[in-house]
Amino acid sequence: MTAAGGELAGLQRFAGIWNTTGALFGTDGRQTGTMSATDLYRWLPGWRTLIHEVDARMDGAALRSIEVLTWDAARGTVVSRSFDQDGGVADFACRLDRERWEIDGQGIRFRGRFDGADRLAGTWEMHQTDGWRRWIDIVLDRAV
């Protein structure tokens, strides 16, 4: 694979189907619910764009989205753009540093760590006036 000169090669570890489970947290830090999802990551021909499809249930409510990840040479980083079922669009900068996977967006971020090839666990946080607040803890387990 020669994904954009190799800049995306590390993302190959995402390719496949993942089962995701998680816990949702309120502003008081207490767990308010659960979530589950199926995440599909696949390369477009040319290995320069990774597509991430999400079919989730957040406390029973359906949530579907698609994310497009690619290399931004001008910024020197992996970027993604996510589109949800309600027409929402969000842009992110992503970093994979060995086992650490980080995503930064407008007012939200993810910090996670791979445990071998088949598990990624981490926390999504939302920015509040008094700092970052835990939003969702997730675990992705490779299904295929």
Side-chain angles (χ1 to χ4, degrees), residues 44-123:
L44 288 182
W47 299 87
R48 295 178 182 272
T49 305
L50 185 66
I51 303 297
H52 173 205
E53 297 176 54
V54 179
D55 184 0
R57 297 276 182 265
M58 304 284 278
D59 238 3
L63 173 68
R64 292 198 171 89
S65 65
I66 190 165
E67 177 183 26
V68 179
L69 295 99
T70 193
W71 179 255
D72 183 332
R75 293 172 60 185
T77 193
V78 174
V79 295
S80 76
R81 179 167 278 178
S82 178
F83 305 87
D84 70 27
Q85 66 195 25
D86 298 323
V89 178
D91 292 314
F92 301 95
C94 310
R95 282 177 306 287
L96 181 61
D97 182 12
R98 295 187 186 142
E99 302 304 312
R100 290 183 25 224
W101 176 238
E102 298 179 351
I103 304 169
D104 290 292
Q106 183 70 33
I108 63 173
R109 69 183 184 188
F110 176 79
R111 298 294 183 261
R113 185 169 201 81
F114 280 93
D115 180 10
D118 298 327
R119 176 168 276 204
L120 170 64
T123 300

